[in-house]
Amino acid sequence: MTKASLIVIGSELTRGIIQDKHTILVSHELSKMGIHFSESVVIPDDGTIREVIGALLRNNNIVLLTGGLGPTTDDMTRSAIAEAAGVELVRDEGAWNHLLETLKDRAYGANEKQAYIPKGFNLIPNPNGTAPGFWGEVKGTLVVSMPGPPREMEPMFRSSVLPLLRKNLGIKEEERDEYSTFLISEAKLEELTKEADPSLDWGTRFQDYRISLYVSGGDEEERQRAIGKLRALTGKKRVVDGDKTALGILVEDLKKRGETISCAESCTGGLAASNLTSLPGSSLYMMGSVTSYFLSVKERVLGVKKDTLDRYGAVSEECALEMAEGVRNLISSDWAFSITGVAGPDKSEEKEVGTVCLGFSGKDRKPVSVTIRFFSYGRESIRRRSTAASFILMKAYMDGEDIREIVEGWKVF
């Protein structure tokens, strides 16, 4: 019987500041592979790792570790594994080049530590961070070290570590489909996947502006049928094939068309514009934006009618529509969208928190505006979901789809 254990390193975990989510992920995936998951040990950044790893090496075929790979003095995972293996730490040139590309001059000094791995071990690249993972054998036990942050550890575990374990154990690679979901909470998504097909194995990974969804088990027809049911439960545009972002889908289409976009924002405070300019080559499609928080700015800069503001206020479809038209005319872009709403408690607004109005305007296209009511998980959550919704609906509007019908089919989760 193949036995495996996990060491989760981080004082913020032992102090209860954050929760350990790695154990759930690792134990679930290893159990599916027929590996006996014997234990998970959560330890602080205080050198305890040396004692713990020694004990686990004696009783396991596989020892996985997360955390302790940073540049500070309390990050001891590298040295503890090297000591256990009886080897020195050496600088890996691939890791060093990645560090230089990512941090530039800041790679020198304390950060250089992140490019070192135990001699004879193999590098696991980390495209989502600066510290790579690594793996090798210590006294006949396979040892795999991964970074601690979930946004780095989870993709590394799924894309690199699981295939490594399957190869070492002679386990056939399982068929797994990947999707990206938008505007759905993780808890609700889990509930809906079980409703779609409880016999399949569903996995999720929370990311910025989306949740990655993985489905395995059954045959291809069963998985496709389950995804079809999930899409019917969530509404259009909320579950897409592959590893994609709402921003990436919109930008890809703009580039393909050779067309430009602009935006006007209120409650999101420039978040949508920041996203649109965050990708390389954004000057090809992003012409500009206006952050119009005060009513007077909406009226004076964007040309929103005073009568609209007096009759309906800023949180209205009428205001959103005129903002979108205004910014497109002001900047002369091919397409434009606007976001105005209530992201947090504000005595100046009578609308319910989470009420957001989006406007869309385009050349030779009738402008459209819609209202979405998000359940409030906090101000930042509403801002982020409003931004994602604007990208999704902007693409649909550009394609000539009925965005009112799309929004009517959405449920607020």
Side-chain angles (χ1 to χ4, degrees):
M1 177 176 60
T2 302
K3 294 176 62 179
S5 289
L6 172 68
I7 303 175
V8 184
I9 305 156
S11 297
E12 67 277 14
L13 293 160
T14 57
R15 293 171 185 165
I17 298 173
I18 62 173
Q19 282 186 316
D20 165 32
K21 293 185 178 180
H22 296 330
T23 296
I24 297 173
L25 171 65
V26 172
S27 61
H28 176 71
E29 293 295 335
L30 295 192
S31 296
K32 280 169 52 183
M33 295 168 61
I35 298 172
H36 176 71
F37 187 80
S38 57
E39 64 181 306
S40 172
V41 185
V42 182
I43 60 175
D45 301 295
D46 64 355
T48 307
I49 182 176
R50 289 179 167 83
E51 177 183 338
V52 172
I53 195 172
L56 294 184
L57 283 170
R58 289 191 292 271
N59 300 311
N60 291 275
N61 308 101
I62 302 168
V63 174
L64 306 177
L65 304 93
T66 72
L69 295 180
T72 59
T73 54
D74 59 0
D75 290 309
M76 306 177 188
T77 300
R78 293 181 189 84
S79 58
I81 294 174
E83 287 175 18
V87 298
E88 61 181 339
L89 288 170
V90 293
R91 193 172 81 176
D92 183 274
E93 290 309 306
W96 175 240
N97 290 334
H98 174 68
L99 203 63
L100 279 175
E101 290 173 5
T102 306
L103 299 180
K104 311 301 182 193
D105 289 343
R106 291 183 294 120
Y108 296 94
N111 279 314
E112 188 174 355
K113 176 181 178 182
Q114 296 176 91
Y116 280 75
I117 66 173
K119 187 175 182 179
F121 276 58
N122 306 278
L123 191 77
I124 306 176
N126 179 11
N128 300 298
T130 53
F134 52 87
W135 67 275
E137 280 200 6
V138 179
K139 301 173 183 176
T141 296
L142 178 65
V143 176
V144 183
S145 181
M146 298 169 283
R151 67 178 301 273
E152 299 178 33
M153 179 273 181
E154 291 182 21
M156 180 182 291
F157 178 71
R158 291 189 184 279
S159 64
S160 299
V161 176
L162 286 177
L164 167 67
L165 296 179
R166 290 191 184 97
K167 182 178 179 180
N168 271 264
L169 298 172
I171 299 174
K172 183 181 177 181
E173 185 78 26
E174 68 173 352
E175 291 187 2
R176 186 186 72 168
D177 302 327
E178 181 175 0
Y179 300 88
S180 298
T181 70
F182 307 106
L183 309 175
I184 310 172
S185 70
E186 198 165 13
K188 189 63 180 181
L189 181 59
E190 182 177 354
E191 177 186 321
L192 292 173
T193 56
K194 297 306 179 187
E195 184 176 347
D197 191 335
S199 71
L200 298 177
D201 187 45
W202 302 88
T204 59
R205 177 161 65 95
F206 187 84
Q207 301 198 71
D208 292 342
Y209 299 95
R210 62 182 167 133
I211 296 176
S212 292
L213 176 66
Y214 308 94
V215 57
S216 57
D219 56 31
E220 184 177 355
E221 186 177 341
E222 288 176 296
R223 295 195 300 274
Q224 288 298 314
R225 187 164 53 243
I227 286 297
K229 187 173 181 180
L230 180 63
R231 285 180 167 135
L233 291 168
T234 61
K236 296 178 179 179
K237 310 295 181 183
R238 300 178 83 172
V239 180
V240 301
D241 294 353
D243 181 16
K244 296 180 181 177
T245 65
L247 171 64
I249 293 169
L250 172 60
V251 166
E252 182 181 355
D253 195 41
L254 284 167
K255 287 182 175 180
K256 191 180 298 182
R257 294 168 180 263
E259 294 175 335
T260 58
I261 196 169
S262 61
C263 62
E265 302 178 66
S266 183
C267 65
T268 46
L271 186 60
S274 175
N275 274 267
L276 282 165
T277 56
S278 65
L279 300 177
S282 57
S283 59
L284 293 172
Y285 55 84
M286 178 57 174
M287 288 194 71
S289 66
V290 174
T291 300
S292 53
Y293 221 62
F294 271 40
L295 297 184
S296 58
V297 177
K298 292 178 175 65
E299 181 183 0
R300 188 175 68 254
V301 178
L302 295 174
V304 177
K305 298 183 185 69
K306 189 176 188 305
D307 180 58
T308 297
L309 298 171
D310 289 343
R311 292 173 62 196
Y312 304 109
V315 188
S316 68
E317 291 185 12
E318 291 80 3
C319 181
L321 190 148
E322 292 178 20
M323 286 171 63
E325 284 276 87
V327 74
R328 190 173 72 84
N329 291 329
L330 176 69
I331 295 179
S332 298
S333 59
D334 295 311
W335 306 96
F337 65 87
S338 66
I339 308 172
T340 183
V342 186
D346 189 339
K347 293 180 180 179
S348 67
E349 297 287 1
E350 297 180 357
K351 300 283 186 179
E352 181 182 355
V353 171
T355 302
V356 177
C357 298
L358 306 177
F360 302 90
S361 174
K363 58 180 182 179
D364 304 323
R365 189 72 53 84
K366 182 180 178 181
V368 181
S369 55
V370 294
T371 300
I372 303 177
R373 291 181 176 85
F374 293 111
F375 182 81
S376 178
Y377 293 100
R379 186 182 188 90
E380 188 58 28
S381 171
I382 293 170
R383 283 161 43 90
R384 292 166 74 88
R385 283 184 287 167
S386 300
T387 298
S390 69
F391 295 155
I392 293 167
L393 295 175
M394 183 76 252
K395 171 66 166 65
Y397 176 76
M398 289 164 57
D399 289 341
E401 297 186 55
D402 187 340
I403 63 172
R404 282 187 172 278
E405 181 187 358
I406 292 171
V407 171
E408 285 170 5
W410 287 356
K411 297 174 183 176
V412 179
F413 302 142

